[in-house]
Amino acid sequence: MKKEINVVSPEEDERVHMVLTELTKGTSRDELAICQRFGFTDMSELGQYMKSKGYKWNTKLNNYEKDAQMITSIEETDGAMEHSSPSVENHHVQEPSLELYLPLLEMLKHNEKRLTELLIPYGKGNSIPRYTIEGIAKTKTVQMIHTLSNMVTEFAEEKNISQRDLFEVALIDFFRKYGYEKEVAQTLKIH
């Protein structure tokens, strides 16, 4: 008796279907954009996901197709389970899939340092970072409120840091926080 197997849950099936459709369109040639749209970092990660859902890459189609061997092995495994315990009924219990949360977890991991900085701001005991920036020093005149100017002077003296270093750290942190991460990395030559 051959039993029909549902390899993926309805939510996962929808995601697989959308990936297949996007790759079939041919309008979006940027595979990395397709990966990111569906929560994957690269084609390798997408390939692992599709393989886990019973699909393999077909170079002629330039897309994924059902892997008959994978489905056959699942059917054989299921058949062996039926023969080993005929008195136990096979109920399909749909458990929440962790794969639904993988894109969120990957995004959290990717932004771990930034999230840590937001959740645990500089406080007592944390040292102030020092950056080595190559280039020619230039003078920049900035007007500010007297109380803020005094605060800069007091802080620099208390922490034994030059005002120049204080402003460099402050500006680098500001640029990182507001979308200039790549520019800061290039300036600091961080790879």
Side-chain angles (χ1 to χ4, degrees), residues 1-153:
M1 179 168 99
K2 192 166 185 177
K3 190 173 157 184
E4 195 173 305
I5 303 291
N6 184 11
V7 179
V8 292
S9 71
E11 302 87 25
E12 293 166 338
D13 191 39
E14 179 66 25
R15 189 175 185 195
V16 168
H17 176 72
M18 290 185 332
V19 167
L20 294 173
T21 303
E22 195 67 32
L23 288 170
T24 303
K25 284 181 185 175
T27 56
S28 180
R29 295 209 184 270
D30 186 8
E31 293 161 343
L32 184 58
I34 292 172
C35 291
Q36 290 175 342
R37 191 172 308 131
F38 295 105
F40 302 103
T41 55
D42 56 20
M43 284 300 282
S44 175
E45 190 176 322
L46 173 62
Q48 290 174 354
Y49 173 78
M50 294 299 282
K51 184 177 181 181
S52 74
K53 301 303 171 202
Y55 287 82
K56 67 179 180 180
W57 183 254
N58 182 327
T59 52
K60 290 178 184 175
L61 295 174
N62 216 16
N63 203 339
Y64 292 93
E65 67 179 358
K66 286 235 185 229
D67 187 353
Q69 290 177 344
M70 173 83 83
I71 293 171
T72 304
S73 68
I74 290 172
E75 288 174 352
E76 288 171 358
T77 305
D78 193 47
M81 286 173 51
E82 279 182 10
H83 293 297
S84 65
S85 58
S87 62
V88 178
E89 290 186 29
N90 213 356
H91 293 288
H92 177 67
V93 179
Q94 188 174 357
E95 297 178 18
S97 174
L98 290 178
E99 291 185 22
L100 294 172
Y101 300 102
L102 286 179
L104 175 62
L105 292 172
E106 289 168 9
M107 187 261 313
L108 290 171
K109 181 64 179 165
H110 179 72
N111 294 304
E112 179 179 11
K113 184 177 179 183
R114 197 166 173 198
L115 289 169
T116 302
E117 289 173 356
L118 289 173
L119 295 173
I120 308 169
Y122 298 120
K124 295 179 182 174
N126 287 344
S127 61
I128 299 170
R130 305 287 171 115
Y131 301 109
T132 304
I133 304 172
E134 294 179 10
I136 300 168
K138 292 187 113 187
T139 302
K140 196 62 111 169
T141 304
V142 179
Q143 290 185 343
M144 64 179 72
I145 303 299
H146 178 71
T147 53
L148 192 56
S149 175
N150 287 342
M151 194 182 305
V152 168
T153 305

Side-chain angles (χ1 to χ4, degrees), residues 157-171:
E157 288 173 3
E158 183 180 313
K159 301 295 182 181
N160 196 24
I161 184 173
S162 70
Q163 291 184 21
R164 173 187 163 176
D165 287 343
L166 186 149
F167 282 108
E168 285 178 358
V169 168
L171 287 171

